[in-house]
Amino acid sequence: MNYLKKVVLVIFCAFFSLAVMAQTHPSLMLTKANVVAVRKGVATYPLLRQSYQTVKNVADKALAAPIIVPVPKDGGGGYTHEAHKKNYSNMLSAATAYQISGEKKYADYVKNVLLNYASQYQKWPLHPKSKNKADAGRIFWQCLNDFVWQIYTIQAYDLVYDALPASDRKTIETQLFAPILKFFTEDKREVFDKIHNHGTWNLAAVGISGYVLNKKEYVETAIKGSKKDGKTGYLAQIDQLFSPDGYYMEGPYYQRYALLPFVLFAKAINNYEPSRKIFEYRDKLLAKAIQTSLQTSYTDKTFFPINDAIKDKTYESIELVYGVDLAYADIKPEVDLLDIARQQGRVIVSDAGLKVAKDLAAGKAVPFKYQTLFIKDGAKGEDGGLGILRNGPNTDQQAVLLKAGSQGMGHGHFDRLNLLFYDNTTEIFPDYGSARFHNIDTKNGGGYLPENNTWAKQTVAHNALVVDQTSHFNGELAPADATSPSLLYFSNQPNLKVVSAKEAEAYADVTMVRTVATVKVDGLEKPLIIDVVQGLSANQHQYDLPFWYQGQLVNTSFPVSATTDGLKALGTENGYQHIWLNASNKLQNNTGLVGLITKNRFYTTHFASSNPLEIKLVTIGANDPEMNLVHSKAFMLRSSGSNQTFVSIVETHGEKDPVDETVTGAQASVSDVRILNSDEKQTAISFMLNGKTHNYQINYTDKQNYVYFR
C-alpha cells in the first residue's frame, strides 16, 4: 500500500511539473484569463484607454511603414541602433494592439518582423562598433542592448503566439530565439553570471524566454546561475545587489534601469510557478525596491542623480511604469502609488494596468508619501546608506540628501558625504551626474565621455570635502569598493531632522564627519539647513568644500572682483584642471555669506571656519577642447590646518515676482555665525536670528543627546 502511494505521488509530481510549464498564451503582463477584462477596461477606464490608444498609434504607424531590419553597424544613437530599438518597441505595441483589437494585421506585422530577423541573425558577427569583445552584442554595440531587445521581443511573441502558424513559430524559435539564447548563455556567460545590472538583463531575458518557449532548462539556469548552484543567477542578484531596505548599490538611476528585468522576470515566475512565491522572497524585497526607487526621487519626478546618472531621467520612465503597476496589482495595493501612476500618465496595457486604472478611476489615489528616512546600503545593510531629510508638502518640498553609502561599483563616484539640496521643485545644490550625451552618436557614440573620469567622478565635482586637491581614494575603484562610510546618527523629529555620518578611509590620515540638520525656527517659513563638516587629522592639510549651485549670485559679504580675461585653471589634475578660477577672497573673522536667487526664491548660505578662510568663485569649462562639459558654478570654501571645521547655514527666504516686478524678503535674517568650539567629541556653534541668539551643538560620543538646539 505504501509503495502504491509513493508511485502515485511520483506520478502526481511529474504531472504537476509538466503542468507548471503548460503553455497558455499570452502569459506575462497580459494573461489569457484577463484579456476580455482588459478589453472592457480599455473601453471603461480613462487611463487604460489613453495608454492603449498611445500603443495603438505606435502600432498603426509601424504598420504603415516598410519593415526595416538593417545589418547592425552604428553605435548608440546611430541609424541601425535606433532602427533595432524601434523594431522591438513596434513589435510589442503591435502585439498588444492585436490582443485588444483582435485584428490579425497586428499579429502578422510581428510575425513578419521576426521572420526577417530570423533570416539574418545568424549571419551577423559581433557588432563592428563594439569597444571590446566581452561587451559586444550582435544587434547592438553592447550586449546589454541585445538583452533588452530580447526582453521586449519575447513579450511580443508571447502576445501573438496563438495567431502564428506552427511552421512560422518553428522558424522563429529555431533560427532566431535559439541562437540568441545560446549567444546569451554561452558566448556571454561571463556577463550572464555577473552580479551587475548587465547580468540581470541577460538572465531575465533568458528566463522569461525559457518560460514562453517552454524551455525549462533556461528558466533554472536563469534563476540559479550557469552552474545552477545559486552562487549567481536571479536570486543571487536580488541577494547581493539590494540592501534589506531595497536600495540598489549602483544608485537611483541604475536602480530605475535594473528594476524592469527584476520585476518582469518576477511576474513571469509568479505566473508560471506561483509556488516559488517570488514576490515574498527576502521579505518582499522587490516591493521595497520599487518603493525605495520612488523615495530616491524628488517631487519634480527626477531621481537623485548620484553616481553615473543621466539627470533628466524621471519615474515616468517605462521601468517604473512596470514597477508601479506590478507593485500595486501583484504585491500590495498602496494607494499612494496611484498618485505616481497618475503622474506617469500611462499604465501597461495588462492585468496590472487594468487594476491601477480601475482604482484611479474610482478616486482611490492619495498624494505619494515622501518620507524622511535613512536608506541602508549593502547586501546586509551594513555599508552606510542615504540620509534624506524632507520638509513641506509635495507641491513645495525642501529635501536634503547626504550620500553616505557604498562606492556603487564602476558607476560610482568618489564623493563620500556628498550633499544635495532641493527646494521649490528644483535643484539648489545639485550633483553633476555623468558626463555623457546618452545615445547622441556624435558625442563618443553616445557613451561616457573622457570627462566622466577626469571630471564627473572626481570629488571636487561634488559638494564634498576635498583634501589636498586629491580625490577620495585617489580616484581608485578597488579601495573605494572595499569600504563604506558609517552612520553615526539619524533622527526624524517634526522640528529637527538630523543625519550624521563618518568616512575614515577616503584619505590616509584624515577622518571626515558630516552632520546635516533641518531645523524649524519660529518666524521662518522654511527650516534652516545646518551643515557641519569636519576634517580630523594629526597633520596639516588643505581643505576645500565646494558648493555647486543653480541660479544667480546676487549677494555676498565680500567684494567680488571677477577676472575678466585670462582665466586660469584652479589646478592640473583630479578635476581641478576643468575649473576656471573667477574670483578669490580671504575673509575676515573666518565668516561670510553668499546669496543666490534660484527660480525666483532667495537662498543665503552663511558660513564659518575654524581656521583662516578663503572663498573662491569658480565655473566649469577649463581644458575642455570638445566642449563636453555642462556649465556649472560654485563657491568653494578653502582653509588649511590639521583639524578643520566648516559650518554652513542655508536660509531660504523671500521671492521675486517677475510678472508684477516685486521683490519681498530679499534680505536674510541669520547673522553672526560663530564656531564656539569643535573637536572629535563636540561641535558647538551660535548664530543670531531676529535679535535672538540660537545655539546648536553636536555631541559625537553621546548617542542619547547627539544634537542640541535652542
Side-chain angles (χ1 to χ4, degrees), residues 140-330:
F140 298 94
W141 69 278
Q142 63 172 345
C143 57
L144 169 63
N145 299 99
D146 288 48
F147 310 148
V148 175
W149 186 95
Q150 179 64 13
I151 280 184
Y152 280 92
T153 300
I154 199 64
Q155 291 181 77
Y157 185 66
D158 174 61
L159 288 165
V160 301
Y161 185 93
D162 289 341
L164 305 187
S167 59
D168 288 335
R169 292 201 302 264
K170 182 178 180 181
T171 299
I172 292 165
E173 292 183 16
T174 58
Q175 296 183 30
L176 179 61
F177 291 146
I180 283 176
L181 295 179
K182 181 177 182 294
F183 179 63
F184 289 4
T185 57
E186 296 182 19
D187 297 49
K188 297 300 170 185
R189 179 171 294 180
E190 183 177 346
V191 180
F192 185 86
D193 284 334
K194 191 175 185 179
I195 305 299
H196 186 273
N197 80 79
H198 290 200
T200 310
W201 280 97
N202 188 346
L203 62 85
V206 170
I208 296 167
S209 299
Y211 278 125
V212 172
L213 302 175
N214 200 18
K215 301 289 186 181
K216 186 66 181 289
E217 65 273 18
Y218 282 122
V219 173
E220 289 301 311
T221 300
I223 292 175
K224 298 179 181 178
S226 63
K227 296 181 180 179
K228 298 181 182 179
D229 58 5
K231 293 181 180 179
T232 61
Y234 182 67
L235 297 181
Q237 297 263 2
I238 294 177
D239 289 341
Q240 296 181 48
L241 287 176
F242 290 98
S243 77
D245 289 343
Y247 179 70
Y248 185 75
M249 65 189 307
E250 291 183 289
Y253 174 81
Y254 278 93
Q255 174 150 350
R256 175 272 323 166
Y257 185 64
L259 269 178
L260 180 55
F262 274 111
V263 300
L264 192 55
F265 192 18
K267 176 64 172 171
I269 294 170
N270 194 59
N271 286 359
Y272 277 88
E273 299 183 83
S275 61
R276 288 187 185 266
K277 297 183 178 180
I278 190 62
F279 287 124
E280 302 293 322
Y281 186 75
R282 205 181 162 198
D283 193 23
K284 297 185 177 179
L285 191 283
L286 291 177
K288 292 180 181 179
I290 294 165
Q291 182 66 223
T292 294
S293 186
L294 296 171
Q295 290 295 342
T296 54
S297 70
Y298 182 54
T299 58
D300 65 351
K301 307 177 188 178
T302 61
F303 296 100
F304 295 133
I306 56 177
N307 295 338
D308 278 343
I310 304 298
K311 293 195 62 171
D312 53 3
K313 186 64 71 174
T314 73
Y315 58 61
E316 298 162 307
S317 67
I318 191 65
E319 299 89 356
L320 262 296
V321 178
Y322 273 93
V324 168
D325 287 2
L326 287 174
Y328 186 81
D330 287 56

Side-chain angles (χ1 to χ4, degrees), residues 540-560:
Q540 293 287 310
H541 293 283
Q542 174 186 290
Y543 296 93
D544 288 344
L545 182 61
F547 288 89
W548 296 96
Y549 63 85
Q550 297 278 25
Q552 293 299 126
L553 188 71
V554 293
N555 188 27
T556 63
S557 61
F558 49 88
V560 175

Side-chain angles (χ1 to χ4, degrees), residues 104-121:
K104 194 170 181 296
K105 65 180 181 180
Y106 295 111
D108 287 342
Y109 171 83
V110 177
K111 175 191 71 176
N112 292 333
V113 176
L114 289 174
L115 288 173
N116 196 320
Y117 273 98
S119 70
Q120 297 190 69
Y121 181 78

Side-chain angles (χ1 to χ4, degrees), residues 674-685:
R674 298 184 181 187
I675 299 175
L676 304 179
N677 67 279
S678 186
D679 55 31
E680 68 276 6
K681 293 183 178 180
Q682 183 185 87
T683 294
I685 70 171

Side-chain angles (χ1 to χ4, degrees), residues 31 61 69 89 113 129 136 161 240 274 284 304 307 310 338 342 405 413 469 506 524 526 672:
T31 60
K61 186 176 180 180
V69 180
S89 177
V113 176
K129 282 291 184 75
Y161 185 93
Q240 296 181 48
K284 297 185 177 179
F304 295 133
N307 295 338
I310 304 298
L338 295 175
R342 177 186 59 77
H413 288 192
Q469 293 191 197
L524 295 181
K526 291 268 188 173
D672 198 21

Side-chain angles (χ1 to χ4, degrees), residues 70 73-86 127 129 140-141 438-442 445-446:
K73 66 175 184 177
D74 299 320
Y79 171 74
T80 65
H81 181 95
E82 293 303 309
H84 290 298
K85 283 177 62 179
K86 182 179 288 187
H127 198 285
K129 282 291 184 75
F140 298 94
W141 69 278
H438 194 238
N439 283 342
I440 304 298
D441 192 36
T442 54

Side-chain angles (χ1 to χ4, degrees), residues 559-579:
V560 175
S561 181
T563 301
T564 56
D565 60 7
L567 288 173
K568 294 183 179 180
L570 192 56
T572 59
E573 58 185 351
N574 303 319
Y576 282 79
Q577 75 274 24
H578 291 301
I579 298 175

